[in-house]
């Protein structure tokens, strides 16, 4: 019998991946955690029925969330990732030789443990000696750390449960306080096709705290609609052109200096969401 693992993406849309087997299933204190072995996307992590990471396309998301903001900073020494318990964003952060300390603040210790076991190619960065893994609520953590980080990355689940507060104005005001001068924040901000309201909400929250805001897009085949957005904020201008050699030394598969520059070209339908 065929095994299909589906994400229900609203009343009329589903994404189904034919799978070989379910490798792990548990219900943690925060969510249902499922790891499946799919035929076309490799192993996949699902939380509460939504695809978070697949081995085949995760590099696009993690590279675009991490490298655009880190390359926009002249010396990103201390970096905070909120959420991101799979480790993919941290793996990209530690590619930057300037990074001295990278802190992962993931609320659910079970996500980190399960990804270390079943998705080692994603979780590999968690073992870097510069990485400190904390299992705390990112909202409380950020309030307690003023002027501490050069870059803050928000790699959260959808705005439900403990992630709701990560989309608010007060959270971005706290991020601003937690940044050092010249600091940059960047968040995954959902799909411009399916979650226009969330794209807009994150944009307004970032704008309420920072003078500069950049909305940019990347293709993500296993996320709703296949097109995803990220929103960066800073009080310094985010550079359109970055050092090509510094970018080449990251040895990435999606992000390059040219992709960075192209990210500033926003299609009008997406720009209209945040105007
Ligand atoms: N790439 C993913 C996506 O957009 O589908 C996000 C992946 S990552 C697994 C999201 C993580 O955010 C989850 O493991 C969840 O436990 C964590 N999270 C949610 N709310 C949080 C909070 N308030 N503080 C810290 N981590 C949180």
């Amino acid at each position: 019998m065929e095994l299909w693992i589906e994400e229900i993406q609203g009343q009329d849309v589903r994404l189904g991946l034919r799978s070989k087997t379910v490798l792990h299933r548990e219900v943690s204190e925060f969510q249902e955690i499922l790891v499946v072995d799919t035929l076309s996307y490799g192993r996949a992590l699902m939380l509460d029925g939504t695809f978070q990471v697949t081995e085949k396309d995760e590099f696009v998301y993690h590279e675009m969330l991490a490298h655009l903001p880190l390359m926009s900073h002249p010396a990103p020494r201390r970096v905070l990732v909120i959420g991101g318990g799979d480790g993919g964003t941290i793996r990209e952060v530690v590619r930057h030789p300037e990074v001295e300390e990278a802190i992962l603040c993931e609320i659910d210790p079970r996500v980190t443990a399960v990804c270390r076991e079943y998705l080692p190619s994603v979780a590999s960065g968690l073992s870097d000696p510069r990485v400190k893994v904390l299992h705390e609520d990112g909202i409380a953590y950020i309030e307690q750390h003023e002027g501490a980080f050069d870059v803050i990355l928000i790699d959260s689940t959808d705005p439900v449960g403990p992630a709701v507060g990560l989309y608010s104005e007060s959270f971005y005001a706290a991020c601003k306080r937690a940044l050092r001068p010249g600091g940059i924040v960047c968040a995954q901000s959902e799909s411009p096709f399916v979650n226009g309201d969330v794209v807009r909400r994150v944009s307004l929250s970032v704008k309420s705290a920072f003078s500069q805001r950049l909305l940019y897009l990347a293709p993500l085949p296993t996320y709703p609609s296949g097109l995803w957005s990220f929103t960066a904020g800073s009080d310094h201008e985010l550079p359109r052109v970055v050092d090509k050699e510094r970018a080449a030394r990251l040895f990435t598969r999606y992000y390059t200096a040219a992709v960075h520059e192209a990210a500033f070209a926003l299609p009008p339908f997406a720009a209209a969401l945040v105007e």
Side-chain angles (χ1 to χ4, degrees), residues 31 52 61 83-84 86 105-107 111 137-138 155-157 162-163 223:
Q31 52 218 335
Q52 303 287 312
Y61 173 92
D86 51 78
C105 183
E106 159 64 58
I107 203 167
V111 172
D137 183 340
D155 186 3
S156 71
T157 32
Y223 283 179

Side-chain angles (χ1 to χ4, degrees), residues 73 75-79 98-102 150-151 180:
H73 195 289
R77 296 204 172 88
R78 275 198 102 216
V79 178
E98 301 83 3
V99 172
E100 291 166 1
E101 188 175 25
D150 298 305
V151 177
R180 292 168 167 167

Side-chain angles (χ1 to χ4, degrees), residues 15 53 66 106 125 129 139 143 154 160 164-165 198 212 220 248 267 275:
L15 172 68
V53 168
E106 159 64 58
I139 299 163
E143 289 288 355
I154 324 298
V160 285
V164 172
V198 181
Q212 308 290 313
L220 255 305
E275 263 155 21

